[in-house]
Amino acid sequence: MAASQRARLLVGLGSTGLVMGIAAMIWGRPALTGAATFGLVATGIQILAARVMARTGVTPSLDNLRVYGMGVLFRLTGVIILGVTVALDRTTFAPLASATGYLGTVLPLLYLETRLSR
């Protein structure tokens, strides 16, 4: 595993753990499932997106909209998965806890992505 992928994994897992703790404090123990699941979904999507975009050989930027758009579509897929999952099983995947898990993990990962692309 490349160092940048390892950094993504570590930041993703750390963010997921932090968001799980926050969700448990705010919404109680049942919120852990949604926060953990979507934190891991965000981490997986970020690792997959970085791997696929690296294969293009082009850095994602506004000048290279095709590659930049691929990254946006990967993250949008996570939002769609979130919406479908919450709609299908609202008791297991509480909407706010699940959304917090996804956003609380994907945002630090996007920040890391800008740091790694320098």
Side-chain angles (χ1 to χ4, degrees), residues 1-99:
M1 180 180 279
S4 60
Q5 288 289 63
R6 190 173 300 116
R8 288 179 187 96
L9 180 62
L10 292 175
V11 169
L13 293 176
S15 297
T16 298
L18 181 64
V19 169
M20 285 172 57
I22 292 169
M25 286 191 303
I26 296 172
W27 297 291
R29 194 172 182 89
L32 288 174
T33 303
T37 300
F38 284 99
L40 293 174
V41 165
T43 302
I45 286 174
Q46 184 69 21
I47 289 172
L48 179 64
R51 187 173 188 175
V52 169
M53 289 187 290
R55 288 185 180 198
T56 65
V58 180
T59 56
S61 68
L62 291 176
D63 295 332
N64 302 315
L65 283 179
R66 183 177 64 88
V67 178
Y68 184 80
M70 286 172 45
V72 170
L73 287 176
F74 273 109
R75 276 69 171 207
L76 183 60
T77 301
V79 174
I80 291 168
I81 293 169
L82 172 68
V84 169
T85 306
V86 167
L88 292 175
D89 190 0
R90 203 173 177 96
T91 57
T92 304
F93 300 103
L96 287 176
S98 299

